[in-house]
Structures are given as C-alpha cells and as structure tokens.
Amino acid sequence: MNFEIIFVLLGLIGMLVALILDKMRPGIVLLSLVVIFMAAGIITPKQMVAGFSNRGMITVALLFLVSEGIRQSGALSTIVKKLLPEKETTVVKAQLRLLPLVSAISAFLNNTPVVVIFAPIVKNWAKKIGLSCTKFLIPLSYATILGGLCTLIGTSTNLVVHGMMIEKGLPGLKMFDLAFIGIPITIVGLAFIILTSKKLLPAERPDNFEEEETDAAIEKGKHVVEVVLASRFPGLKRKLKDFDFKRKYGAEVKEIRQGGQVITKNLGEVRLQQGDTLVLIADDAFTRTWGDSSIFLMITNGKEIPTRPVPVWKKWTALALLLIMIIGATIGELPYFQERFPNVKMDMFFFAAVTAVVMAWLKIFPPKKYTKYISWDILITIACAFAISAAMEESGLAALIANFIKDVSGSLGAWGALALLYFVTLVVTELITNNAAAALAFPLALETAQSFGVDPMPFFIAICVAASAGFATPIGYQTNLIVQGAGNYKFTDFTKIGIPMDLIVMIISITLIPLIWPFVPA
C-alpha cells in the first residue's frame, strides 16, 4: 500500500466523519477534500473541475428549474386535491389512491418539491376527515423514493452514475433502463407500505404547545404554522436566541422538532439545523410573505398557504412541456433520430435544457429568480464527487478495495460482490448523502467488474438503487427529513418500517439485477 492510497483513504475517512458530524454543508466538505487532493498532487486541476462541466451534473441543475416550473404552475396541487376522497375513508383505501400516483409523478420530477407540495395538503386533508396524518407522511416520502428508482431523471443519483459512465466512454443510461428493476421494487414496496403502515407507523401525537395559547392566538387573528428550515435559512448552526427569529419574520417560535426530538423548553439555546421543523404562531402576512420562499419548506397545520392565482394555460403548458421532455428524451436516442440528426444529441440534457429555457421565457417560473430554485450545495457535492472518484482511481485505492471485495465474495463470485457492494453503498447512503455514496461506489463498481472480467452494468444499476433507497433513517433522504418534523415522528418510527423496506429492496435488487443485466464477459 503506497503513500497515495493511504492519503486518499485517510481523506475519505475524514470526509465521512465530517459528513456524519454535520458541522458543515456536504458541498463544502467534499470541496475541501478535493482541494486537499489537488494540493497533494493526487489529481490535477483539470480533474478537480471536470465534474462542474459534466452533463449529468448540469442536467440535475436544469431539472431543478423544470420541477420548480411544475410546482409554481399549481398543476400538482390541483391533481392531489381532486384525488383525495372528501368523505370518510380508511387508511388503506386512501393510500391506494394516493401512493401509486405519487410514485408515478416522482419518477419524472425532483422528489423534494413533490413532498413539499403534497405534505401540507395531505396533512390538512387527514385532519378534516379524522385520520392520523402519521399514517400518510412517511409513506408519502417512501413513495417518492420508490418512484425515483424507475427512470433516469427520477433522482439526481441516477444522473450522477449516468454522467460518470459517459466520462468513462460508456453509453450511459437511457430514460427507462432503470424501469426494469424500479417498477418491480415500487410495486412490492408500495404493497408492503399499504399492508403494514397501519400497524408499524404510530398514531398521531398531540402537539406539545398549550391549547390555551393557540386559542388566544386565533382570537388575535393568528394561527399555528409549521415551517421546515431549508438550506438557505440564514440562521442555520446558530442558537435561536442569537438569531432573533421574531424580529426578522414576525412570528413566535413555540416548538422545535429536531432529530426526532420535540423541544418546547429553553428554545433559545437550540442550534437550528437544516430540516428542523419550527411550530410558529403567525398571522396571514407571514404565510403571504414566506409561503413561496426558498428559506422555508412550508408546512402548515392551520390554514393552507395562500397562493397567487395561476392562469389555466400555465398549468397545461407546464404539463405539456414536461411530457414533451420525457417523450423526447426517450425517443431522441433511437437510431432513427440519431441518423436523421447526426449533429444533435437529443438526450435528457438536450430536452431538459430546452424545457427549462422555454419555461423561463413563458414565465412559468420567475426568470429573474431562477438561481434561488437551484440547490447549489447538491450541485457542488455532485461535481466534487467526480473528482473524488478520480482520486480513488488514480491512487489505486479503488482497485485495492475491488480486489478485497472479490476476495471476500469467495465462491459466490460476481453475485456475492454485487451484494456486498450494494450493502456498503446503502450503509453510506443512510449515514451521509446519496450523491456522495454513488460517487464513492462508482469506481469500486467499475474496478470490481473488471476484476471479474464482466460487464459493469449490473454493478452500476446496483449502486443507482442502493444510493437512492434510503428508508431506515430520516437523514438518509431529504424527503424523510421534511416529513419527520411535519408528522412529529421519532427516529425509531423510520427504523421500524424502514429497515424492512431496505431489506426488501435489497433482496429484490440482488436477485433481479443479474437476471436482467447478466454477468456476461466484458
């Protein structure tokens, strides 16, 4: 083991520790490591910045804008309101109507806005008809995760793997390649949720703030509002008493839900974190001002956030553009179109770029504010992940770990290596972030396939699934964090239903992937 291998290994361990401790945003953690690798001569400056020009990473940025256009058009909220029954119903019947549609939508849109739109609607609806919202919010998050496994654009993780494949001169993934494994997983996963969530998920827990205070606030024209702190919230990592929330936003914090804990005393001493849910007493001016802000992912349990009327043509145009993007990217790479248009690569990048620009021209989302709809930390994380992957390959660490995986697999051969790689990727996903997990696993997948002399595609598909299917912890996926506070869930509420989900998805994956993408000689 040479110096470069030891250096890169220690750097990766330090990165994992920093991500778990959550002292800095993932993007700056990965950027710091990449700069260290460049300064040490492990990677070149060109390799350091290569990820920032990768089509997969830029496609993720464009899809943020497309998702925002769909969100602001109001099309999704209209659909879900019509879908939910107005009369009394059962949890199972309501989930049967809701969850398959959520999965279908999230297969083509970013999962976070889908949950942000649906969560307050579902919560208010459940309260009106007398059902517990806790039976729906974790299933809502899980349904978006399952749907994201079905297409190339279902989650940014798939696009990261796709981009890395293209970097290596491989064909990359087509729009519905992942559907062969994603659809079976989604069907079984949704069935498990619908059959077991009534028993495995808790009943709704009462709010901890005093009803007298709430009643008094209502008499003054105020109401209870829940907000989830986004990555752009300026008070992250600061104590509430040092931030002066009431002066800045005109709302009083009554309760903080953080990491599965509900805090109602000594609120001023709490350091605010991304994903925290704050229960506020606020007036209508607060929701009008901040309801469409990137500072908060708004969740209400009093009134729905007032929204500006959206012309009907914008709703239909947004949906039509989304449909054109999906169909175009699906058929654009067929040999017929490649022969007719040899100078234009009509892939997902092409159609996402066209769709985002047309949405901006038509003001489906405000073009002057387009930068605030992009999650820059995710993009920086993805771009730096490419450089970290290059460092693992250049140093020889990827090959060393791949040989270790091969030795551990023993008589199980490539199938055993696939299962082990899946498990390691899943654990890293549950502990840190899905995009970083995919980037770390990609060079291992490539080197492991080469050590067995087989096609790497089964390994690439496995890390796509494993890096996205994080069900067992609220930190495994951003949508889990959002619903944790909204539903007042404890950490263990996720493990009770999430660990069986993880096992089910893993068993299906390592069983079907080699059958769909055989271990043929490379």
Side-chain angles (χ1 to χ4, degrees):
M1 189 180 293
N2 59 34
F3 167 77
E4 288 189 343
I5 290 178
I6 296 173
F7 189 88
V8 172
L9 180 60
L10 291 176
L12 292 177
I13 293 172
M15 180 195 75
L16 292 174
V17 171
L19 289 171
I20 292 170
L21 293 177
D22 195 28
K23 296 297 183 182
M24 294 188 291
R25 299 285 298 136
I28 196 65
V29 172
L30 270 69
L31 181 61
S32 301
L33 182 61
V34 168
V35 171
I36 291 171
F37 286 163
M38 182 189 68
I42 305 293
I43 56 174
T44 64
K46 183 178 180 180
Q47 288 174 313
M48 175 185 166
V49 301
F52 290 91
S53 62
N54 183 271
R55 280 192 302 173
M57 190 277 290
I58 299 174
T59 303
V60 173
L62 294 168
L63 290 174
F64 278 126
L65 297 179
V66 174
S67 294
E68 183 62 25
I70 298 295
R71 188 186 74 83
Q72 295 212 15
S73 74
L76 291 186
S77 57
T78 301
I79 291 171
V80 73
K81 284 178 182 178
K82 290 183 178 180
L83 185 72
L84 292 171
E86 296 181 2
K87 300 178 181 179
E88 290 187 8
T89 186
T90 65
V91 170
V92 171
K93 288 180 180 179
Q95 287 181 344
L96 280 170
R97 295 184 66 169
L98 177 67
L99 300 185
L101 176 69
V102 171
S103 292
I105 291 172
S106 65
F108 303 103
L109 292 175
N110 186 281
N111 294 349
T112 300
V114 174
V115 171
V116 168
I117 292 169
F118 283 22
I121 296 173
V122 170
K123 186 168 184 177
N124 289 335
W125 164 82
K127 186 176 182 180
K128 286 178 184 177
I129 67 169
L131 292 178
S132 175
C133 71
T134 53
K135 304 297 184 182
F136 295 95
L137 293 180
I138 281 181
L140 174 66
S141 177
Y142 285 4
T144 63
I145 295 172
L146 291 170
L149 299 174
C150 296
T151 67
L152 172 61
I153 62 172
T155 176
S156 58
T157 308
N158 299 343
L159 286 163
V160 169
V161 175
H162 170 72
M164 289 186 162
M165 291 172 68
I166 292 174
E167 285 281 312
K168 295 298 179 183
L170 299 170
L173 299 169
K174 293 183 173 58
M175 173 63 83
F176 291 105
D177 279 352
L178 287 162
F180 294 103
I181 185 67
I183 290 176
I185 288 173
T186 300
I187 292 171
V188 176
L190 290 180
F192 175 77
I193 293 169
I194 291 168
L195 293 173
T196 64
S197 60
K198 189 173 180 180
K199 290 184 178 180
L200 294 179
L201 292 177
E204 190 167 356
R205 299 181 177 98
D207 292 320
N208 288 358
F209 48 85
E210 296 295 331
E211 290 185 9
E212 291 80 3
E213 293 185 57
T214 304
D215 293 338
I218 292 173
E219 289 178 5
K220 296 177 182 179
K222 297 184 178 182
H223 54 278
V224 179
V225 177
E226 298 175 11
V227 295
V228 179
L229 303 185
S231 60
R232 290 175 180 260
F233 179 72
L236 296 181
K237 309 296 184 183
R238 296 173 63 182
K239 290 184 178 180
L240 181 62
K241 68 179 182 181
D242 297 331
F243 182 66
D244 199 355
F245 189 98
K246 188 172 183 179
R247 182 179 65 83
K248 289 181 171 63
Y249 300 107
E252 185 178 359
V253 181
K254 305 299 294 183
E255 178 177 296
I256 300 175
R257 299 170 187 166
Q258 183 181 85
Q261 294 183 328
V262 179
I263 305 168
T264 56
K265 297 181 179 179
N266 297 321
L267 294 178
E269 298 298 321
V270 178
R271 289 191 182 274
L272 301 174
Q273 309 286 341
Q274 181 189 358
D276 285 358
T277 295
L278 309 187
V279 180
L280 314 174
I281 300 295
D283 57 17
D284 288 337
F286 177 86
T287 53
R288 283 196 301 269
T289 304
W290 302 106
D292 194 31
S293 169
S294 59
I295 292 174
F296 302 116
L297 299 171
M298 184 67 70
I299 306 292
T300 66
N301 77 1
K303 297 181 179 180
E304 286 189 23
I305 302 166
T307 56
R308 300 180 184 89
V310 179
V312 175
W313 73 265
K314 280 193 176 183
K315 294 182 181 181
W316 288 108
T317 302
L319 290 175
L321 288 171
L322 177 65
L323 190 61
I324 291 170
M325 182 187 78
I326 295 166
I327 295 173
T330 303
I331 68 174
E333 294 189 345
L334 295 176
Y336 175 84
F337 290 95
Q338 291 179 346
E339 292 171 4
R340 295 296 185 278
F341 305 97
N343 296 324
V344 180
K345 186 171 178 59
M346 293 190 293
D347 56 3
M348 177 47 64
F349 172 78
F350 174 88
F351 282 98
V354 171
T355 303
V357 169
V358 171
M359 282 185 168
W361 288 348
L362 296 175
K363 296 186 178 180
I364 294 175
F365 61 81
K368 290 184 178 180
K369 299 179 180 180
Y370 79 98
T371 55
K372 84 172 193 175
Y373 305 128
I374 298 173
S375 180
W376 297 103
D377 187 74
I378 289 178
L379 297 186
I380 292 170
T381 299
I382 292 171
C384 291
F386 282 85
I388 293 172
S389 178
M392 292 175 67
E393 292 180 5
E394 294 290 335
S395 65
L397 177 62
L400 183 68
I401 297 175
N403 287 330
F404 174 77
I405 291 174
K406 183 178 180 180
D407 292 340
V408 171
S409 302
S411 60
L412 294 176
W415 184 88
L418 180 79
L420 182 58
L421 181 66
Y422 183 103
F423 179 75
V424 171
T425 306
L426 175 62
V427 171
V428 176
T429 297
E430 295 284 17
L431 293 177
I432 51 170
T433 173
N434 56 337
N435 290 313
L440 293 175
F442 182 86
L444 303 182
L446 186 60
E447 293 285 351
T448 301
Q450 290 175 351
S451 69
F452 283 100
V454 298
D455 185 355
M457 182 60 80
F459 295 91
F460 295 153
I461 299 295
I463 61 176
C464 280
V465 177
S468 296
F471 301 101
T473 68
I475 62 174
Y477 215 88
Q478 187 178 22
T479 55
N480 288 349
L481 271 178
I482 294 170
V483 301
Q484 181 186 28
N488 200 8
Y489 292 110
K490 295 180 180 178
F491 190 95
T492 52
D493 294 332
F494 285 88
T495 59
K496 284 178 184 177
I497 190 169
I499 290 177
M501 279 287 291
D502 277 345
L503 293 174
I504 288 169
V505 174
M506 180 176 178
I507 291 169
I508 294 173
S509 298
I510 62 179
T511 302
L512 292 185
I513 287 174
L515 299 178
I516 301 169
W517 295 273
F519 294 119
V520 296

